């Protein structure tokens, strides 16, 4: 084997494994031997550094490649898009155009992928025009990327039009359209499309096609259709692979069929299938859902034996599982030992702190995440931070985070954010502010938002707002009696407080009358004059007291709350 081929193989291996130190050592070796400037090796090194998230190194290498070589743009933009740096991919494409380079069929799929992830429909349509102008619509990868872009932007009908307008429809384009339909929740339509293409054009689906359908029906909790797709797989001579099993397990867990998920995972092992890191990270949330720590530890041990416990998604799922089971110390230990942390890892630990009362630790960890530029917080990160603020009563800080989320990170508030804010304001007794926030919402409030307000009204005894919240809850969930029970409980509490107040007032008035009566007696006031000085209700009250002096004691025995009073 030629020495250049050995270097190429090593770079590809280091890229796949993310071995930054070994890759840097090989880079140094190539520099010493004068090979690093060659376009072939420079391209491989750019891909390697992008995979290891070392964007600065990737860009430096890119700038050293001669501008006359158009392949450098293909390598850089492709590396960015593959690793998920879509903003950088779009910026690179803009720079490429400013340099006078025209888009080609090699760079367009990467840019279209970035458009889909950014939901940049307008740029995607412009690129569609470029594709038609340059007759790239005959390239299957370009067509597939165009279908994927339209699907991710929610334009499934346009994606279908691209597919049906393609003269040579292949399996790559079909799988892109099926995936798009599933992402938009029209899984049955995707299945009909597969059946149609198979019957009319003899386009036989592969495992990828069927796995996409299995994942879609599993998410929709449609077990009958999952079985039907598995039967179609068997009819085509295909068997379930690890992706198929993982999709089924994931769907069961997300729909809270935890026992069925454990049974399916066991069947998978019994069939001799080796679970992947995706399988482990899918089944661990079921342990958290049912607080089954023993089973969670067993799966943790299995992951260690299989050598996949270092995977970032497995680590994140383990942190989440231990935190939800109440083992915060174990979650902290795993989190601290995780070298590569993604947003899910941070969110799991912040949520774990917030939900178990470690509010200051949650806020501190959230601030630490903000200081690290590599990982940006998402909507779940702010949900966790706002939850911690609510439990700790940090109203001003919570309001500042709510503002920061929108202004700096461009995250539009979701229902869960509004629910956290209403709960935060409600716990602090700022009920009018909480209600004003609900009134200003750009989206329709849900059960959790109104439920947070109703709970706060009960805590602070606001009958008027409680009635409004209960009415809205009844509209949203008419079959549930929860809001009515809570409102009735609130009325009962108010009624009990009113009776206590009236009873206290009656005792005080009784003592006043008795004192006045004793004064009259001591001054030898005649009975007729004495009674004339009292009102009709006061004379009746005295008669009742004289006739039944032990009535108050009986009431205390019958009502413990009165006895305490």
């Amino acid at each position: 084997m030629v020495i250049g081929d050995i270097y190429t193989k090593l770079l590809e291996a280091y890229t796949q494994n993310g071995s930054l130190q070994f890759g840097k050592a090989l880079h140094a070796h190539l520099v010493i031997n004068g090979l690093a400037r060659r376009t072939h090796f420079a391209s491989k090194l750019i891909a390697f550094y992008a995979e290891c998230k070392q964007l600065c190194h990737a860009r430096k290498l890119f700038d050293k490649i001669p501008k006359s070589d158009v392949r450098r743009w293909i390598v850089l933009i492709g590396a960015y898009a593959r690793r998920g740096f879509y903003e950088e991919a779009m910026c690179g494409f803009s720079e490429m155009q400013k340099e006078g380079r025209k888009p080609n069929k090699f760079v367009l799929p990467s840019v279209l992928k970035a458009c889909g992830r950014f939901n940049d429909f307008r740029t995607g349509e412009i690129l569609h025009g470029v594709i038609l102008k340059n007759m790239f619509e005959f390239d299957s990868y370009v067509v597939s990327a165009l279908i994927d872009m339209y699907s991710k932007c929610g334009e499934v009908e346009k994606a279908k039009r691209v597919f049906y307008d393609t003269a040579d429809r292949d399996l790559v384009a079909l799988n892109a359209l099926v995936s798009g339909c599933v992402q938009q929740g029209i899984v049955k339509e995707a299945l009909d499309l597969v059946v149609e293409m198979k019957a009319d054009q003899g386009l036989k689906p592969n495992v990828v096609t069927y796995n996409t359908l299995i994942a879609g029906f599993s998410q929709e909790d449609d077990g009958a259709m999952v079985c039907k797709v598995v039967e179609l797989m068997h009819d085509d001579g295909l068997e379930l692979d690890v992706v198929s099993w993982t999709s089924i397990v994931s769907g069961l867990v997300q729909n809270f069929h935890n026992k069925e998920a454990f049974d399916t995972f066991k069947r998978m092992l019994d069939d001799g299938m080796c679970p992947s890191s995706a399988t482990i990270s899918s089944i661990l949330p079921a342990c958290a859902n049912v607080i089954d720590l023993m089973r969670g530890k067993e799966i943790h041990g299995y992951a260690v034996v299989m050598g996949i416990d270092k995977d970032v998604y497995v680590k994140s799922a383990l942190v989440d599982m231990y935190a939800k089971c109440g083992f915060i110390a174990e979650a902290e230990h795993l989190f601290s030992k995780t070298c590569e942390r993604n947003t899910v890892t941070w969110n799991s630990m912040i949520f774990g702190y917030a939900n178990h009362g470690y509010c200051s630790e949650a806020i501190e960890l959230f601030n630490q995440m903000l200081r690290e530029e590599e990982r940006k917080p998402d909507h779940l990160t702010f949900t966790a931070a706002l939850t911690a603020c609510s439990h700790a009563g940090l109203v001003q800080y919570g309001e500042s985070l709510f503002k920061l989320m929108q202004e700096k990170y461009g995250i539009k508030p979701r229902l869960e954010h509004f629910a956290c804010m209403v709960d935060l304001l409600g716990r602090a007794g700022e009920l009018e502010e909480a209600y004003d926030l609900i009134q200003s919402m750009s989206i329709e409030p849900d059960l959790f938002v109104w439920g947070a307000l109703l709970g706060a009204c009960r805590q602070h005894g606001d009958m008027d707002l409680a009635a409004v919240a209960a009415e809205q809850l009844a509209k949203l969930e008419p079959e549930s009696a929860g809001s009515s029970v809570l409102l009735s409980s609130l009325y009962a509490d108010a009624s009990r407080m009113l009776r206590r107040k009236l009873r206290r007032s009656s005792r005080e008035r009784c003592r006043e009358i008795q004192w006045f009566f004793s004064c009259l007696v001591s001054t030898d006031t005649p009975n007729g004059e004495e009674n004339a000085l009292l009102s009709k209700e006061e004379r009746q009250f005295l008669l009742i007291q004289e006739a039944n002096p032990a009535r108050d004691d009986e009431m205390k025995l019958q009502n413990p709350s009165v006895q305490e009073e």
Side-chain angles (χ1 to χ4, degrees):
M1 183 181 289
V2 183
I3 189 67
D5 293 336
I6 296 176
Y7 290 148
T8 300
K9 293 288 184 184
L10 283 172
L11 277 173
E12 289 174 350
Y14 295 152
T15 302
Q16 185 177 358
N17 298 329
S19 304
L20 181 60
Q21 296 302 321
F22 289 109
K24 280 185 173 181
L26 181 57
H27 183 191
H29 179 78
L30 292 172
V31 170
I32 292 170
N33 288 276
L35 299 174
R37 287 181 176 270
R38 292 187 183 180
T39 303
H40 172 72
F41 290 120
S43 301
K44 294 292 182 183
L45 286 166
I46 288 171
F48 162 72
Y49 281 117
E51 185 67 27
C52 295
K53 303 179 185 178
Q54 303 293 314
L55 301 189
C56 292
H57 292 302
R59 184 70 199 205
K60 285 179 182 177
L61 283 166
F62 169 82
D63 292 335
K64 291 178 181 178
I65 300 175
K67 288 188 177 181
S68 58
D69 195 338
V70 71
R71 289 179 297 174
R72 68 194 189 114
W73 286 112
I74 299 170
V75 172
L76 183 70
I77 296 172
Y80 282 157
R82 276 194 306 275
R83 197 62 184 87
F85 300 108
Y86 301 115
E87 186 176 352
E88 288 78 3
M90 295 292 286
C91 291
F93 182 64
S94 297
E95 287 185 58
M96 174 183 167
Q97 290 179 302
K98 289 177 183 177
E99 202 177 85
R101 300 289 180 181
K102 292 183 178 180
N104 55 54
K105 65 180 182 180
F106 301 106
V107 77
L108 280 170
S110 299
V111 183
L112 285 168
K113 183 179 181 180
C115 289
R117 295 304 188 281
F118 269 140
N119 201 24
D120 191 349
F121 173 67
R122 185 177 178 181
T123 304
E125 273 197 319
I126 294 172
L127 293 176
H128 190 180
V130 172
I131 290 167
L132 295 175
K133 183 180 178 180
N134 292 277
M135 299 182 69
F136 293 147
E137 70 270 21
F138 299 106
D139 186 275
S140 62
Y141 290 102
V142 173
V143 170
S144 301
L146 190 59
I147 291 171
D148 180 67
M149 182 275 297
Y150 277 128
S151 300
K152 284 186 169 57
C153 290
E155 299 289 337
V156 179
E157 291 303 319
K158 287 185 178 291
K160 287 181 183 177
R161 198 175 307 146
V162 172
F163 177 77
Y164 284 111
D165 288 346
T166 305
D168 187 18
R169 301 178 198 130
D170 60 5
L171 194 56
V172 178
L174 175 64
N175 286 344
L177 184 55
V178 169
S179 176
C181 291
V182 169
Q183 287 171 15
Q184 297 302 319
I186 46 176
V187 191
K188 184 67 168 61
E189 196 170 323
L191 178 59
D192 293 339
L193 176 67
V194 170
V195 174
E196 176 193 340
M197 289 295 104
K198 182 180 177 182
D200 296 347
Q201 298 193 7
L203 199 58
K204 188 177 178 181
N206 60 6
V207 176
V208 175
T209 317
Y210 284 122
N211 282 344
T212 305
L213 293 170
I214 288 173
F217 284 121
S218 296
Q219 299 302 318
E220 290 190 348
D221 198 15
D222 194 340
M225 290 306 297
V226 171
C227 294
K228 182 178 179 180
V229 174
V230 172
E231 289 177 8
L232 291 173
M233 282 186 72
H234 291 158
D235 292 341
D236 286 342
L238 301 172
E239 296 294 332
L240 294 174
D241 63 2
V242 64
V243 178
S244 314
W245 284 102
T246 301
S247 298
I248 297 172
V249 169
S250 177
L252 290 169
V253 173
Q254 291 187 26
N255 288 288
F256 299 101
H257 301 303
N258 301 298
K259 184 179 182 304
E260 292 83 351
F262 291 134
D263 293 340
T264 304
F265 181 71
K266 186 175 183 303
R267 281 175 53 200
M268 175 184 179
L269 297 177
D270 292 342
D271 284 358
M273 195 67 63
C274 183
S276 65
S277 58
T279 318
I280 298 299
S281 58
S282 296
I283 192 65
L284 279 170
C287 303
N289 290 342
V290 296
I291 320 296
D292 192 343
L293 183 62
M294 286 301 297
R295 198 187 295 265
K297 285 186 173 181
E298 289 174 3
I299 296 173
H300 185 181
Y302 184 86
V304 172
V305 171
M306 296 299 296
I308 54 179
D309 60 309
K310 305 299 182 187
D311 180 86
V312 62
Y313 294 101
V314 173
K315 272 286 181 68
S316 301
L318 285 168
V319 170
D320 182 67
M321 185 271 295
Y322 280 114
K324 285 182 177 175
C325 289
F327 280 70
I328 300 297
E330 186 65 30
E332 280 181 326
H333 176 72
L334 285 169
F335 181 82
S336 63
K337 296 294 182 182
T338 305
C339 298
E340 182 188 0
R341 299 168 184 165
N342 61 10
T343 306
V344 179
T345 318
W346 287 93
N347 291 351
S348 299
M349 196 66 245
I350 296 171
F351 264 120
Y353 279 140
N355 290 330
H356 288 84
Y358 298 94
C359 300
S360 59
E361 288 84 351
I363 298 299
E364 183 181 345
L365 191 62
F366 171 77
N367 289 328
Q368 181 184 339
M369 182 183 181
L370 295 186
R371 288 192 296 269
E372 296 193 7
E373 297 181 358
E374 284 188 11
R375 192 61 55 186
K376 292 181 180 179
D378 61 6
H379 67 281
L380 288 173
T381 317
F382 279 98
T383 303
L386 288 172
T387 301
C389 292
S390 178
H391 291 171
L394 302 174
V395 177
Q396 291 184 346
Y397 187 70
E399 289 177 329
S400 67
L401 289 185
F402 191 68
K403 186 177 180 181
L404 178 74
M405 175 183 73
Q406 300 172 70
E407 295 182 353
K408 182 176 180 179
Y409 294 97
I411 301 173
K412 292 183 179 179
R414 302 190 181 195
L415 287 168
E416 55 265 31
H417 300 130
F418 283 111
C420 287
M421 287 302 298
V422 170
D423 186 58
L424 171 63
L425 294 169
R427 284 172 184 252
E430 299 179 11
L431 301 178
E432 290 296 334
E433 289 80 355
Y435 183 63
D436 290 342
L437 178 64
I438 295 175
Q439 294 294 95
S440 67
M441 287 173 60
S442 57
I443 50 180
E444 199 67 27
D446 67 351
L447 295 168
F448 297 102
V449 175
W450 287 114
L453 181 62
L454 182 57
C457 288
R458 184 185 182 189
Q459 180 184 353
H460 297 283
D462 192 322
M463 300 295 299
D464 295 332
L465 272 182
V468 173
E471 182 183 354
Q472 295 297 328
L473 283 169
K475 289 179 181 178
L476 291 170
E477 201 174 28
E479 69 279 0
S480 174
S483 59
S484 300
V485 170
L486 189 57
L487 185 61
S488 298
S489 177
L490 182 59
Y491 280 126
D493 290 343
S495 178
R496 190 178 300 113
M497 290 174 64
L498 182 59
R499 286 198 304 270
R500 290 177 182 176
K501 187 175 180 182
L502 289 174
R503 191 173 296 115
R504 189 181 301 114
S505 176
S506 299
R507 291 197 190 102
E508 291 174 357
R509 182 62 177 153
C510 173
R511 283 194 291 270
E512 290 174 4
I513 294 170
Q514 288 176 338
W515 174 81
F516 183 63
F517 181 75
S518 64
C519 289
L520 289 174
V521 172
S522 64
T523 55
D524 297 327
T525 306
N527 287 340
E529 295 180 17
E530 164 198 317
N531 292 333
L533 294 172
L534 301 177
S535 67
K536 180 181 178 181
E537 291 78 6
E538 291 168 342
R539 290 196 297 271
Q540 289 177 347
F541 184 82
L542 282 174
L543 290 172
I544 292 171
Q545 288 295 107
E546 291 174 2
N548 192 6
R551 188 164 179 249
D552 277 349
D553 295 335
E554 292 176 7
M555 289 178 65
K556 289 180 182 179
L557 291 173
Q558 292 172 5
N559 193 337
S561 64
V562 175
Q563 188 174 3
E564 291 174 7
E565 186 67 36

